[in-house]
Amino acid sequence: MTTTKHTAGDALLARTATYTILTTGYTLSTGPGVAATVSYVRDGDRHVIVDPGMVAGRDRILGPLAALGLGPDDITDVVLSHHHPDNTMNVGLFGRARVHDHKAIYEADQWTDRDAEGHELAPSLRLIRTPGHSPEDITLLAGTGEGVVAFVGDLWWRPNGPVEDPVSPDQALLRSSRLRVLAAADVIVPGHGPAFPADDTAPH
């Protein structure tokens, strides 16, 4: 039986989401180039893509999505954890979706300002601010039947960190955000690697 961790502010209202990692990313130290970990999350009628970034070919995103019986126009929402191109390059694949970042929702020609902190996309899907890799980092928390999954972008690049992020403008802020995620989540999906447990083995 899974015991879900959370702090009061990060508690989710429901545990009805499901997710699939469409493509597992890598960085120069682990792969032939740079690719984002791109995920699909569903809660009710919300079909969400997280970080549709750089990949070797668009089929690395669209192929696994098609295997789920979905096409680009079925996606209702895209979450961008931050604005680095390696995590955003293929956002245009999902032209009918609402796009969420740290400060607004973008849809067609409509720009709606809102703070990501605490914004709920669906009963089991909540955004929180987790700056550190960049000033605008956000995390999507998804309540699933097995626990809370945190889609963190580059708060962690991969399961081994790096412990000290060479891109981070503020290592102390990075660590604070990592600790917040570790308190709230059971599983972490990083920006450029496979999912890993949100426990004491996670670099922080």
Side-chain angles (χ1 to χ4, degrees), residues 108-183:
D109 64 348
Q110 299 300 302
W111 176 320
T112 305
D113 287 322
R114 65 96 187 87
D115 193 328
E117 178 62 38
H119 180 74
E120 292 183 359
L121 280 70
S124 297
L125 304 178
R126 178 175 294 166
L127 301 176
I128 60 172
R129 281 185 172 266
T130 51
H133 174 73
S134 76
E136 73 268 8
D137 297 325
I138 61 173
T139 288
L140 173 65
L141 297 177
T144 76
E146 292 73 43
V148 176
V149 181
F151 299 86
V152 300
D154 286 355
L155 194 62
W156 284 269
W157 298 7
R158 47 188 183 267
N160 66 347
V163 177
E164 298 290 327
D165 184 340
V167 179
S168 172
D170 189 332
Q171 295 289 339
L173 186 59
L174 178 81
R175 186 170 191 274
S176 176
S177 291
R178 284 178 171 178
L179 291 173
R180 179 180 184 184
V181 168
L182 289 172

Side-chain angles (χ1 to χ4, degrees), residues 16-55:
T16 55
T18 61
Y19 75 101
T20 302
I21 295 177
L22 301 177
T23 186
T24 299
Y26 45 82
T27 56
L28 291 172
S29 62
T30 57
V34 176
T37 294
V38 185
S39 301
Y40 164 73
V41 187
R42 179 177 182 178
D43 189 23
D45 61 357
R46 303 299 282 267
H47 299 270
V48 184
I49 296 290
V50 184
D51 280 354
M54 291 173 66
V55 287

